[in-house]
Amino acid sequence: MAPARDRRTGFSRRRQYGVFMGYVLAVAGAVVGLVLLVASTFNPPAFSALRMGVAGVTTPVSTGLAKVGSSISGIPDATGNYFFVKQENVALRADRARTRALLMRARTIAYDNRRLRSLLAIRDRSPEPVVTARLVSSSASSGRRFALLNAGRWSGVKPGMPVRGPDGLIGRVVETGPNAARVLLLSDGDSIVPVRRTRDGLPAIAAGRGDGMIDIRSVNATNVRFNAGDLFVTTGTGGIYGPGVPVARVTRAGSDSVMARTFADPDTLDFALVEKVFMPVPPPRPIAQQ
């Protein structure tokens, strides 16, 4: 059986040294404290300088310890903020998914409102429009270019009536039923519309090509120069289309005959305005002199 170890300091030189150093440090601390007390009592300026010197030495250490402490104490807050932000992002994504359908619906309504306002403005300027109808379909890929309206004889639509949209002329009615009408588009090969250039009044003919575009051809003149971007509107000649309705814009410069794109694209239109046939007022007859 091993003998019990004696806990007394006299049996361990290391312990004796440790106890002695403790006494020395305690006495030294008491002496230093007494000196500082005396200095602060009888010589305050010297004690202030000593105090600031000690503060200058201990301040960096205190600053470092404070930063470490604040970093450690901020770990729970940072962890909580991370999970809070993560949950908030999940909630925001869910809200975005729910509102996406509403946003698309709002954009569609805004687009319809703009088109309807344009049509209402046209109705204000157009003399006695017949009806505003929906373009149900259009033949954009076939050789013939027609569109179908959901209004016919019951709404007062008759063959020959011009049809226009918010941006310009679409075509004219060629066939009617009780509640539907067939519209010959400007781009059809059988469509011919008298037009004039807006910047100088040059007369021309807008003839359909059958491929979605039209040709602008000069009349009663040769070597006529057309520039890209030239705008053409109806002249009122022929008694079908009223004057000043936008028809097309030239896409490429050329002479005598150039290609142009119509302002109104039936594939993108929802509604169209059917107007009465325009009949220009005949010039007054000269009064016979007796």
Side-chain angles (χ1 to χ4, degrees):
M1 182 176 179
R5 298 180 61 184
D6 194 345
R7 298 293 181 181
R8 291 178 298 176
T9 58
F11 292 94
S12 174
R13 191 173 297 277
R14 180 181 300 176
R15 291 182 180 180
Q16 292 177 357
Y17 288 153
V19 172
F20 176 74
M21 291 301 298
Y23 291 153
V24 171
L25 291 176
V27 173
V31 172
V32 171
L34 180 62
V35 171
L36 293 177
L37 179 61
V38 173
S40 64
T41 303
F42 296 98
N43 193 0
F47 177 75
S48 177
L50 180 62
R51 181 174 56 193
M52 294 307 298
V54 175
V57 174
T58 59
T59 296
V61 179
S62 301
T63 303
L65 293 176
K67 290 183 178 179
V68 173
S70 61
S71 299
I72 295 175
S73 61
I75 291 176
D77 294 337
T79 304
N81 291 335
Y82 169 77
F83 287 105
F84 174 75
V85 171
K86 185 176 181 180
Q87 293 175 357
E88 189 175 19
N89 288 336
V90 172
L92 289 175
R93 291 192 185 97
D95 291 340
R96 186 182 63 179
R98 287 192 298 267
T99 57
R100 183 175 299 172
L102 296 177
L103 179 61
M104 296 300 298
R105 183 179 178 183
R107 288 178 177 175
T108 302
I109 293 174
Y111 173 78
D112 291 340
N113 286 339
R114 288 196 301 269
R115 304 306 292 265
L116 290 174
R117 289 193 189 100
S118 301
L119 286 173
L120 289 175
I122 293 174
R123 289 179 66 94
D124 293 338
R125 295 192 300 266
S126 301
E128 298 182 3
V130 177
V131 67
T132 300
R134 182 182 292 273
L135 279 171
V136 179
S137 63
S138 62
S139 55
S141 59
S142 63
R144 301 303 306 274
R145 301 288 166 146
F146 294 97
L148 188 65
L149 287 174
N150 66 344
R153 291 193 300 268
W154 292 346
S155 302
V157 180
K158 299 178 181 179
M161 289 184 172
V163 180
R164 61 178 298 181
D167 299 325
L169 189 65
I170 297 175
R172 71 178 188 273
V173 178
V174 291
E175 295 178 0
T176 58
N179 58 352
R182 198 179 189 198
V183 180
L184 180 72
L185 301 179
L186 294 179
S187 58
D188 188 82
D190 289 344
S191 175
I192 297 178
V193 180
V195 294
R196 62 175 177 84
R197 190 160 55 186
T198 55
R199 61 185 175 89
D200 57 3
L202 176 73
I205 293 295
R209 295 168 51 93
D211 58 358
M213 304 290 287
I214 64 174
D215 285 331
I216 301 295
R217 304 170 185 171
S218 62
V219 295
N220 301 328
T222 58
N223 298 325
V224 175
R225 182 67 182 176
F226 296 101
N227 299 324
D230 282 348
L231 307 180
F232 287 85
V233 298
T234 56
T235 62
T237 304
I240 297 179
Y241 308 102
V245 181
V247 176
R249 176 187 286 111
V250 175
T251 58
R252 186 179 300 176
S255 299
D256 295 336
S257 180
V258 292
M259 187 182 301
R261 185 180 300 276
T262 59
F263 284 106
D265 186 0
D267 295 334
T268 62
L269 295 178
D270 297 326
F271 297 91
L273 186 66
V274 181
E275 298 178 341
K276 291 184 178 181
V277 175
F278 173 73
M279 296 296 295
V281 178
R285 297 182 180 179
I287 300 176
Q289 296 181 358
Q290 297 179 353

